[in-house]
Short mmCIF file of all heavy atoms in Angstrom, two decimals:
data_model
loop_
_atom_site.label_atom_id
_atom_site.label_comp_id
_atom_site.label_asym_id
_atom_site.label_seq_id
_atom_site.Cartn_x
_atom_site.Cartn_y
_atom_site.Cartn_z
N MET A 1 25.96 50.14 178.38
CA MET A 1 25.46 48.92 179.11
C MET A 1 24.24 49.14 179.71
O MET A 1 23.96 50.21 180.25
CB MET A 1 26.53 48.50 180.14
CG MET A 1 27.88 47.94 179.51
SD MET A 1 29.10 47.18 180.44
CE MET A 1 28.39 46.48 181.87
N SER A 2 23.45 48.10 179.75
CA SER A 2 22.10 48.24 180.43
C SER A 2 21.72 46.91 181.21
O SER A 2 22.36 45.79 180.92
CB SER A 2 21.09 48.15 179.35
OG SER A 2 21.08 49.33 178.52
N THR A 3 21.08 47.14 182.21
CA THR A 3 20.56 45.98 182.91
C THR A 3 19.14 45.72 182.61
O THR A 3 18.30 46.61 182.62
CB THR A 3 20.61 46.21 184.52
OG1 THR A 3 21.99 46.50 184.82
CG2 THR A 3 20.17 44.97 185.38
N LEU A 4 18.84 44.46 182.05
CA LEU A 4 17.67 44.19 181.57
C LEU A 4 16.88 43.28 182.69
O LEU A 4 17.45 42.76 183.48
CB LEU A 4 17.69 43.26 180.34
CG LEU A 4 18.56 43.84 179.20
CD1 LEU A 4 18.58 42.91 178.05
CD2 LEU A 4 17.96 45.14 178.87
N TYR A 5 15.52 43.43 182.69
CA TYR A 5 14.67 42.61 183.59
C TYR A 5 13.59 41.99 182.88
O TYR A 5 12.99 42.34 181.86
CB TYR A 5 14.02 43.68 184.60
CG TYR A 5 12.97 43.19 185.48
CD1 TYR A 5 13.26 42.56 186.71
CD2 TYR A 5 11.46 43.16 185.08
CE1 TYR A 5 12.32 42.02 187.46
CE2 TYR A 5 10.66 42.63 185.93
CZ TYR A 5 11.05 42.02 187.11
OH TYR A 5 10.12 41.50 187.94
N ARG A 6 13.36 40.75 183.33
CA ARG A 6 12.30 39.81 182.85
C ARG A 6 11.47 39.26 184.10
O ARG A 6 12.08 39.13 185.05
CB ARG A 6 12.75 38.74 181.92
CG ARG A 6 13.48 39.16 180.69
CD ARG A 6 14.10 37.84 179.94
NE ARG A 6 13.20 36.92 179.64
CZ ARG A 6 13.52 35.63 179.32
NH1 ARG A 6 14.89 35.34 179.30
NH2 ARG A 6 12.59 34.79 178.94
N PHE A 7 10.22 38.98 183.89
CA PHE A 7 9.46 38.40 184.81
C PHE A 7 8.89 37.14 184.22
O PHE A 7 8.12 37.16 183.37
CB PHE A 7 8.36 39.15 185.40
CG PHE A 7 7.70 38.62 186.62
CD1 PHE A 7 8.34 38.62 187.81
CD2 PHE A 7 6.35 38.10 186.55
CE1 PHE A 7 7.67 38.08 188.91
CE2 PHE A 7 5.72 37.56 187.64
CZ PHE A 7 6.46 37.47 188.93
N LEU A 8 9.42 35.96 184.56
CA LEU A 8 9.09 34.63 184.04
C LEU A 8 7.90 34.08 184.79
O LEU A 8 7.81 34.15 185.97
CB LEU A 8 10.25 33.61 184.15
CG LEU A 8 11.55 34.10 183.60
CD1 LEU A 8 12.62 33.11 183.84
CD2 LEU A 8 11.51 34.40 182.07
N THR A 9 6.79 33.68 184.05
CA THR A 9 5.68 32.95 184.69
C THR A 9 5.41 31.68 184.05
O THR A 9 5.62 31.45 182.87
CB THR A 9 4.44 34.01 184.57
OG1 THR A 9 4.11 34.17 183.30
CG2 THR A 9 4.73 35.24 185.14
N GLU A 10 4.62 30.87 184.74
CA GLU A 10 4.26 29.59 184.13
C GLU A 10 3.38 28.91 185.34
O GLU A 10 3.42 29.34 186.52
CB GLU A 10 5.42 28.63 183.88
CG GLU A 10 5.15 27.43 183.21
CD GLU A 10 4.49 27.49 181.76
OE1 GLU A 10 5.17 28.24 180.99
OE2 GLU A 10 3.39 27.02 181.58
N ASP A 11 2.62 27.89 184.88
CA ASP A 11 1.84 27.17 185.81
C ASP A 11 2.87 26.50 186.84
O ASP A 11 4.06 26.26 186.48
CB ASP A 11 0.99 26.07 185.25
CG ASP A 11 -0.12 26.58 184.45
OD1 ASP A 11 -0.47 27.74 184.61
OD2 ASP A 11 -0.79 25.72 183.80
N ASP A 12 2.50 26.12 188.00
CA ASP A 12 3.53 25.35 189.03
C ASP A 12 3.63 23.94 188.44
O ASP A 12 2.88 22.99 188.70
CB ASP A 12 2.83 25.44 190.37
CG ASP A 12 3.73 24.74 191.25
OD1 ASP A 12 4.97 24.68 191.11
OD2 ASP A 12 3.21 24.34 192.47
N SER A 13 4.71 23.83 187.67
CA SER A 13 4.99 22.52 187.01
C SER A 13 6.45 22.51 186.69
O SER A 13 7.27 23.56 186.86
CB SER A 13 4.27 22.36 185.69
OG SER A 13 4.78 23.32 184.75
N SER A 14 7.04 21.39 186.24
CA SER A 14 8.39 21.37 185.82
C SER A 14 8.62 22.36 184.70
O SER A 14 9.88 22.83 184.52
CB SER A 14 8.74 19.98 185.41
OG SER A 14 8.08 19.57 184.17
N GLU A 15 7.73 22.75 183.84
CA GLU A 15 8.04 23.81 182.79
C GLU A 15 8.45 25.19 183.43
O GLU A 15 9.27 25.82 182.79
CB GLU A 15 6.61 24.02 181.98
CG GLU A 15 6.30 22.93 181.03
CD GLU A 15 7.36 22.64 180.01
OE1 GLU A 15 7.85 23.69 179.37
OE2 GLU A 15 7.64 21.50 179.85
N PHE A 16 7.98 25.50 184.55
CA PHE A 16 8.36 26.66 185.29
C PHE A 16 9.85 26.54 185.57
O PHE A 16 10.67 27.39 185.27
CB PHE A 16 7.59 27.01 186.52
CG PHE A 16 8.00 28.26 187.17
CD1 PHE A 16 7.96 29.55 186.61
CD2 PHE A 16 8.70 28.11 188.37
CE1 PHE A 16 8.43 30.64 187.33
CE2 PHE A 16 9.17 29.26 189.10
CZ PHE A 16 9.00 30.41 188.56
N CYS A 17 10.16 25.46 186.11
CA CYS A 17 11.65 25.19 186.61
C CYS A 17 12.54 25.21 185.34
O CYS A 17 13.73 25.74 185.44
CB CYS A 17 11.61 23.78 187.32
SG CYS A 17 10.80 23.73 188.88
N HIS A 18 12.11 24.68 184.28
CA HIS A 18 12.94 24.60 183.08
C HIS A 18 13.09 26.01 182.51
O HIS A 18 14.08 26.25 181.95
CB HIS A 18 12.23 23.70 182.00
CG HIS A 18 12.38 22.23 182.22
ND1 HIS A 18 13.64 21.49 182.32
CD2 HIS A 18 11.48 21.17 182.53
CE1 HIS A 18 13.51 20.30 182.61
NE2 HIS A 18 12.16 20.11 182.79
N LYS A 19 11.92 26.82 182.43
CA LYS A 19 12.10 28.20 182.05
C LYS A 19 13.09 28.91 182.89
O LYS A 19 13.87 29.66 182.23
CB LYS A 19 10.63 28.85 182.17
CG LYS A 19 10.55 30.16 181.47
CD LYS A 19 9.10 30.71 181.54
CE LYS A 19 8.32 30.17 180.59
NZ LYS A 19 7.01 30.94 180.46
N VAL A 20 13.04 28.99 184.09
CA VAL A 20 13.97 29.59 184.98
C VAL A 20 15.45 28.97 184.73
O VAL A 20 16.33 29.76 184.66
CB VAL A 20 13.62 29.57 186.49
CG1 VAL A 20 14.60 30.14 187.39
CG2 VAL A 20 12.22 30.21 186.67
N SER A 21 15.61 27.76 184.61
CA SER A 21 16.92 26.97 184.50
C SER A 21 17.53 27.59 183.26
O SER A 21 18.69 27.80 183.11
CB SER A 21 16.86 25.56 184.51
OG SER A 21 16.38 25.09 185.76
N ALA A 22 16.63 27.65 182.12
CA ALA A 22 17.18 28.00 180.81
C ALA A 22 17.68 29.57 180.89
O ALA A 22 18.66 29.85 180.31
CB ALA A 22 16.16 27.87 179.65
N ALA A 23 16.89 30.42 181.63
CA ALA A 23 17.37 31.74 181.69
C ALA A 23 18.71 31.76 182.48
O ALA A 23 19.57 32.56 182.09
CB ALA A 23 16.32 32.53 182.37
N LEU A 24 18.78 31.10 183.57
CA LEU A 24 20.08 30.96 184.25
C LEU A 24 21.18 30.63 183.36
O LEU A 24 22.30 31.08 183.56
CB LEU A 24 19.99 30.16 185.48
CG LEU A 24 19.01 30.76 186.66
CD1 LEU A 24 18.80 29.59 187.62
CD2 LEU A 24 19.38 31.96 187.19
N ALA A 25 20.97 29.57 182.54
CA ALA A 25 22.08 29.04 181.73
C ALA A 25 22.36 30.06 180.65
O ALA A 25 23.56 29.99 180.19
CB ALA A 25 21.55 27.74 181.00
N GLN A 26 21.58 31.12 180.38
CA GLN A 26 21.75 32.05 179.40
C GLN A 26 22.41 33.30 179.99
O GLN A 26 22.49 34.34 179.48
CB GLN A 26 20.57 32.52 178.69
CG GLN A 26 19.96 31.49 177.80
CD GLN A 26 18.60 31.66 177.30
OE1 GLN A 26 17.98 32.71 177.59
NE2 GLN A 26 18.17 30.82 176.41
N GLY A 27 22.82 33.29 181.28
CA GLY A 27 23.43 34.34 182.06
C GLY A 27 22.57 35.27 182.78
O GLY A 27 23.02 36.26 183.38
N TRP A 28 21.26 35.00 182.90
CA TRP A 28 20.40 35.83 183.60
C TRP A 28 20.55 35.46 185.18
O TRP A 28 20.98 34.30 185.45
CB TRP A 28 18.86 35.57 183.38
CG TRP A 28 18.56 36.09 181.90
CD1 TRP A 28 18.83 35.34 180.84
CD2 TRP A 28 17.97 37.30 181.59
NE1 TRP A 28 18.31 36.23 179.62
CE2 TRP A 28 17.84 37.36 180.19
CE3 TRP A 28 17.51 38.34 182.26
CZ2 TRP A 28 17.29 38.46 179.50
CZ3 TRP A 28 16.97 39.58 181.67
CH2 TRP A 28 16.87 39.64 180.34
N GLU A 29 20.34 36.42 186.10
CA GLU A 29 20.39 36.00 187.51
C GLU A 29 19.06 36.27 188.18
O GLU A 29 18.26 37.09 187.79
CB GLU A 29 21.42 37.07 188.09
CG GLU A 29 22.85 36.89 187.57
CD GLU A 29 23.75 37.95 188.12
OE1 GLU A 29 23.51 38.39 189.27
OE2 GLU A 29 24.78 38.32 187.51
N LEU A 30 18.84 35.49 189.15
CA LEU A 30 17.58 35.71 190.01
C LEU A 30 17.43 37.00 190.60
O LEU A 30 18.43 37.63 191.00
CB LEU A 30 17.51 34.70 191.04
CG LEU A 30 17.38 33.13 190.63
CD1 LEU A 30 17.44 32.14 191.76
CD2 LEU A 30 16.33 32.80 189.66
N TYR A 31 16.28 37.55 190.60
CA TYR A 31 16.07 38.91 191.13
C TYR A 31 14.78 38.79 192.00
O TYR A 31 13.63 38.59 191.51
CB TYR A 31 15.75 39.95 190.06
CG TYR A 31 15.60 41.31 190.55
CD1 TYR A 31 16.69 42.11 190.95
CD2 TYR A 31 14.40 41.92 190.67
CE1 TYR A 31 16.54 43.38 191.43
CE2 TYR A 31 14.12 43.13 191.14
CZ TYR A 31 15.29 43.86 191.51
OH TYR A 31 15.19 45.09 192.00
N GLY A 32 15.00 38.94 193.34
CA GLY A 32 13.88 38.82 194.20
C GLY A 32 13.48 37.36 194.38
O GLY A 32 14.09 36.29 193.90
N ASP A 33 12.55 37.28 195.25
CA ASP A 33 11.88 35.88 195.64
C ASP A 33 10.90 35.43 194.58
O ASP A 33 10.22 36.33 193.93
CB ASP A 33 11.14 36.11 197.00
CG ASP A 33 12.10 36.30 198.21
OD1 ASP A 33 13.41 35.87 198.14
OD2 ASP A 33 11.74 36.90 199.12
N PRO A 34 10.68 34.23 194.45
CA PRO A 34 9.65 33.65 193.55
C PRO A 34 8.21 34.12 194.13
O PRO A 34 8.23 34.29 195.45
CB PRO A 34 9.89 32.14 193.64
CG PRO A 34 10.73 31.81 194.84
CD PRO A 34 11.37 33.11 195.14
N GLN A 35 7.34 34.20 193.31
CA GLN A 35 5.98 34.75 193.64
C GLN A 35 5.04 33.55 193.13
O GLN A 35 5.25 32.93 192.15
CB GLN A 35 5.66 35.89 192.91
CG GLN A 35 6.54 37.10 193.18
CD GLN A 35 6.56 37.44 194.69
OE1 GLN A 35 5.43 37.70 195.30
NE2 GLN A 35 7.74 37.46 195.33
N TYR A 36 3.97 33.36 193.97
CA TYR A 36 3.01 32.31 193.72
C TYR A 36 1.57 32.89 193.86
O TYR A 36 1.39 33.75 194.87
CB TYR A 36 3.27 31.05 194.63
CG TYR A 36 4.55 30.42 194.54
CD1 TYR A 36 5.38 30.92 195.47
CD2 TYR A 36 4.71 29.53 193.66
CE1 TYR A 36 6.74 30.33 195.49
CE2 TYR A 36 6.10 29.01 193.69
CZ TYR A 36 7.02 29.32 194.43
OH TYR A 36 8.25 28.80 194.44
N THR A 37 0.61 32.50 193.02
CA THR A 37 -0.77 32.95 193.23
C THR A 37 -1.54 31.83 192.62
O THR A 37 -1.29 31.22 191.80
CB THR A 37 -0.92 34.22 192.38
OG1 THR A 37 -2.16 34.75 192.87
CG2 THR A 37 -0.85 34.21 190.92
N TYR A 38 -2.71 31.73 193.22
CA TYR A 38 -3.69 30.69 192.62
C TYR A 38 -4.59 31.35 191.45
O TYR A 38 -5.23 32.39 191.73
CB TYR A 38 -4.68 30.28 193.74
CG TYR A 38 -5.54 29.09 193.25
CD1 TYR A 38 -4.96 27.76 193.05
CD2 TYR A 38 -6.88 29.28 193.20
CE1 TYR A 38 -5.77 26.83 192.56
CE2 TYR A 38 -7.60 28.21 192.72
CZ TYR A 38 -7.07 26.89 192.42
OH TYR A 38 -7.77 26.02 192.23
N ASP A 39 -4.60 30.76 190.35
CA ASP A 39 -5.53 31.23 189.24
C ASP A 39 -6.84 30.48 189.36
O ASP A 39 -6.93 29.41 188.88
CB ASP A 39 -4.63 30.81 188.02
CG ASP A 39 -5.40 31.28 186.68
OD1 ASP A 39 -6.66 31.63 186.79
OD2 ASP A 39 -4.80 31.11 185.66
N HIS A 40 -7.69 31.22 189.96
CA HIS A 40 -9.08 30.70 190.22
C HIS A 40 -9.81 30.40 188.85
O HIS A 40 -10.44 29.35 188.82
CB HIS A 40 -9.90 31.62 191.02
CG HIS A 40 -9.48 31.77 192.34
ND1 HIS A 40 -9.74 30.82 193.34
CD2 HIS A 40 -8.74 32.71 193.02
CE1 HIS A 40 -9.19 31.21 194.53
NE2 HIS A 40 -8.57 32.32 194.29
N ALA A 41 -9.65 31.04 187.78
CA ALA A 41 -10.21 30.91 186.58
C ALA A 41 -9.92 29.65 185.98
O ALA A 41 -10.71 28.88 185.29
CB ALA A 41 -9.96 31.95 185.63
N ASN A 42 -8.59 29.04 186.14
CA ASN A 42 -8.04 27.94 185.54
C ASN A 42 -7.76 26.82 186.56
O ASN A 42 -7.45 25.65 186.09
CB ASN A 42 -6.88 28.12 184.66
CG ASN A 42 -7.13 29.13 183.44
OD1 ASN A 42 -8.02 28.83 182.75
ND2 ASN A 42 -6.49 30.26 183.44
N GLY A 43 -7.89 27.14 187.87
CA GLY A 43 -7.83 26.24 188.83
C GLY A 43 -6.37 25.66 189.05
O GLY A 43 -6.15 24.39 189.30
N VAL A 44 -5.42 26.60 188.77
CA VAL A 44 -3.97 26.10 188.92
C VAL A 44 -3.17 27.16 189.73
O VAL A 44 -3.61 28.29 189.88
CB VAL A 44 -3.23 25.96 187.47
CG1 VAL A 44 -3.91 24.81 186.77
CG2 VAL A 44 -3.35 27.23 186.71
N LEU A 45 -2.11 26.72 190.26
CA LEU A 45 -1.19 27.53 191.01
C LEU A 45 -0.22 28.14 189.85
O LEU A 45 0.33 27.35 189.09
CB LEU A 45 -0.27 26.78 192.12
CG LEU A 45 0.67 27.62 192.93
CD1 LEU A 45 -0.23 28.68 193.74
CD2 LEU A 45 1.38 26.79 193.87
N ARG A 46 -0.01 29.37 189.91
CA ARG A 46 0.93 30.10 189.00
C ARG A 46 2.15 30.50 189.67
O ARG A 46 2.12 31.10 190.80
CB ARG A 46 0.26 31.37 188.32
CG ARG A 46 -1.01 30.89 187.49
CD ARG A 46 -0.89 30.47 185.98
NE ARG A 46 -0.09 31.60 185.43
CZ ARG A 46 0.54 31.50 184.22
NH1 ARG A 46 0.62 30.18 183.70
NH2 ARG A 46 1.16 32.43 183.56
N CYS A 47 3.22 30.45 189.08
CA CYS A 47 4.53 30.85 189.67
C CYS A 47 5.12 31.98 188.73
O CYS A 47 4.91 32.06 187.71
CB CYS A 47 5.59 29.65 189.53
SG CYS A 47 5.01 28.20 190.53
N GLY A 48 5.99 32.81 189.43
CA GLY A 48 6.61 33.89 188.87
C GLY A 48 8.07 34.08 189.42
O GLY A 48 8.20 33.85 190.58
N GLN A 49 8.96 34.50 188.58
CA GLN A 49 10.44 34.89 189.12
C GLN A 49 10.97 35.88 188.25
O GLN A 49 10.99 35.83 187.04
CB GLN A 49 11.13 33.51 188.99
CG GLN A 49 12.69 33.75 189.42
CD GLN A 49 12.83 34.20 190.90
OE1 GLN A 49 12.37 33.60 191.74
NE2 GLN A 49 13.51 35.33 191.12
N GLY A 50 11.47 37.16 188.98
CA GLY A 50 12.22 38.04 188.22
C GLY A 50 13.55 37.64 188.11
O GLY A 50 14.17 36.84 188.75
N VAL A 51 14.10 37.97 186.87
CA VAL A 51 15.47 37.80 186.58
C VAL A 51 16.04 39.02 185.73
O VAL A 51 15.36 39.84 185.25
CB VAL A 51 15.70 36.48 185.58
CG1 VAL A 51 15.37 35.22 186.16
CG2 VAL A 51 14.96 36.74 184.26
N ILE A 52 17.34 39.22 186.08
CA ILE A 52 18.11 40.39 185.54
C ILE A 52 19.36 39.97 184.75
O ILE A 52 19.85 38.82 185.07
CB ILE A 52 18.38 41.39 186.60
CG1 ILE A 52 19.29 41.05 187.59
CG2 ILE A 52 17.07 42.09 187.14
CD1 ILE A 52 19.87 41.92 188.70
N LYS A 53 19.87 40.82 183.92
CA LYS A 53 21.14 40.56 183.17
C LYS A 53 21.53 41.86 182.64
O LYS A 53 20.93 42.63 181.99
CB LYS A 53 20.71 39.64 181.99
CG LYS A 53 21.89 39.16 181.10
CD LYS A 53 21.49 38.28 180.06
CE LYS A 53 22.74 37.61 179.26
NZ LYS A 53 22.15 36.83 178.25
N THR A 54 23.01 42.02 182.86
CA THR A 54 23.67 43.16 182.19
C THR A 54 24.11 42.81 181.05
O THR A 54 24.76 41.86 180.72
CB THR A 54 24.73 43.74 183.32
OG1 THR A 54 24.16 43.79 184.53
CG2 THR A 54 25.38 44.95 182.81
N VAL A 55 23.85 43.74 179.92
CA VAL A 55 24.29 43.44 178.57
C VAL A 55 25.11 44.69 178.16
O VAL A 55 25.01 45.80 178.69
CB VAL A 55 23.10 43.18 177.53
CG1 VAL A 55 22.43 41.82 178.08
CG2 VAL A 55 22.08 44.35 177.69
N GLY A 56 25.86 44.51 177.03
CA GLY A 56 26.63 45.58 176.45
C GLY A 56 26.03 46.61 175.54
O GLY A 56 26.48 47.45 175.12
N ALA A 57 24.69 46.40 175.39
CA ALA A 57 23.95 47.28 174.41
C ALA A 57 23.08 48.28 175.31
O ALA A 57 22.79 48.00 176.39
CB ALA A 57 23.08 46.41 173.48
N GLU A 58 22.73 49.45 174.69
CA GLU A 58 21.81 50.18 175.27
C GLU A 58 20.46 49.67 175.18
O GLU A 58 19.98 49.14 174.19
CB GLU A 58 21.86 51.54 174.65
CG GLU A 58 23.20 52.26 174.93
CD GLU A 58 23.38 52.62 176.34
OE1 GLU A 58 22.41 53.13 177.03
OE2 GLU A 58 24.46 52.48 177.01
N TYR A 59 19.66 49.86 176.21
CA TYR A 59 18.23 49.33 176.29
C TYR A 59 17.35 49.95 175.17
O TYR A 59 17.46 51.21 174.92
CB TYR A 59 17.57 49.61 177.55
CG TYR A 59 16.09 49.25 177.56
CD1 TYR A 59 15.63 47.97 177.62
CD2 TYR A 59 15.22 50.28 177.40
CE1 TYR A 59 14.26 47.59 177.37
CE2 TYR A 59 13.90 49.95 177.33
CZ TYR A 59 13.43 48.70 177.31
OH TYR A 59 12.06 48.24 177.25
N SER A 60 16.67 49.26 174.57
CA SER A 60 15.66 49.71 173.50
C SER A 60 14.37 48.91 173.78
O SER A 60 14.39 47.59 173.90
CB SER A 60 16.15 49.56 172.20
OG SER A 60 15.13 49.67 171.15
N PRO A 61 13.25 49.47 173.77
CA PRO A 61 11.96 48.75 173.91
C PRO A 61 11.69 47.58 172.84
O PRO A 61 10.99 46.76 172.90
CB PRO A 61 10.83 49.75 173.78
CG PRO A 61 11.44 51.10 174.01
CD PRO A 61 12.99 50.91 173.77
N ASP A 62 12.53 47.67 171.61
CA ASP A 62 12.44 46.69 170.53
C ASP A 62 13.20 45.61 170.89
O ASP A 62 13.20 44.54 170.05
CB ASP A 62 12.84 47.35 169.32
CG ASP A 62 11.96 48.58 168.97
OD1 ASP A 62 10.71 48.45 169.19
OD2 ASP A 62 12.53 49.45 168.23
N MET A 63 14.02 45.53 171.89
CA MET A 63 14.85 44.23 172.23
C MET A 63 14.03 43.12 172.50
O MET A 63 13.01 43.16 173.06
CB MET A 63 15.59 44.68 173.61
CG MET A 63 16.79 45.52 173.30
SD MET A 63 17.56 45.71 174.87
CE MET A 63 19.39 45.83 174.34
N LYS A 64 14.50 42.08 172.05
CA LYS A 64 13.85 40.66 172.33
C LYS A 64 14.53 40.12 173.50
O LYS A 64 15.80 39.65 173.48
CB LYS A 64 14.14 39.75 171.19
CG LYS A 64 13.50 40.21 169.85
CD LYS A 64 12.02 39.99 169.96
CE LYS A 64 11.38 40.42 168.50
NZ LYS A 64 10.10 40.94 168.58
N LEU A 65 14.04 40.32 174.79
CA LEU A 65 14.77 40.10 176.08
C LEU A 65 15.08 38.64 176.12
O LEU A 65 16.04 38.34 176.71
CB LEU A 65 13.76 40.57 177.13
CG LEU A 65 13.51 41.98 177.30
CD1 LEU A 65 12.62 42.31 178.42
CD2 LEU A 65 14.77 42.81 177.35
N GLY A 66 14.27 37.76 175.61
CA GLY A 66 14.52 36.45 175.76
C GLY A 66 15.75 35.93 174.90
O GLY A 66 16.40 34.92 174.95
N ALA A 67 16.23 36.76 173.90
CA ALA A 67 17.24 36.49 173.00
C ALA A 67 18.60 37.09 173.43
O ALA A 67 19.61 36.89 172.85
CB ALA A 67 16.91 36.93 171.55
N GLN A 68 18.46 37.88 174.50
CA GLN A 68 19.66 38.46 174.98
C GLN A 68 20.56 37.50 175.88
O GLN A 68 20.14 36.73 176.60
CB GLN A 68 19.36 39.75 175.89
CG GLN A 68 18.74 40.84 175.11
CD GLN A 68 19.48 41.29 174.02
OE1 GLN A 68 20.71 41.68 174.16
NE2 GLN A 68 18.99 41.63 172.96
#
């Protein structure tokens, strides 16, 4: 068994909320507080959220984390 980690990012929009909601629906759990930063180059607020999930397989760098 392995615990997997992903860091989801997106502009501050409903797309970010949908991305996090989709991960939760797939069994991922929130990890830590959400993060925010202003992207000066593009003039937008960016959001990030860590998520974790325990799976029955051993970790491999070749794993497609979004498919787990």
Side-chain angles (χ1 to χ4, degrees):
M1 291 189 26
S2 298
T3 299
L4 306 179
Y5 173 85
R6 293 171 62 195
F7 188 71
L8 307 173
T9 63
E10 186 66 54
D11 291 349
D12 184 18
S13 68
S14 63
E15 287 298 315
F16 176 71
C17 295
H18 287 293
K19 187 181 279 190
V20 174
S21 294
L24 294 174
Q26 294 171 357
W28 292 83
E29 297 178 29
L30 298 177
Y31 183 79
D33 294 328
Q35 303 296 308
Y36 302 93
T37 191
Y38 187 72
D39 180 346
H40 291 278
N42 295 306
V44 296
L45 185 65
R46 301 273 301 161
C47 303
Q49 175 64 58
V51 292
I52 59 172
K53 183 178 186 181
T54 301
V55 296
E58 290 299 314
Y59 171 74
S60 165
D62 298 328
M63 286 179 140
K64 301 285 187 203
L65 297 179
Q68 295 297 319

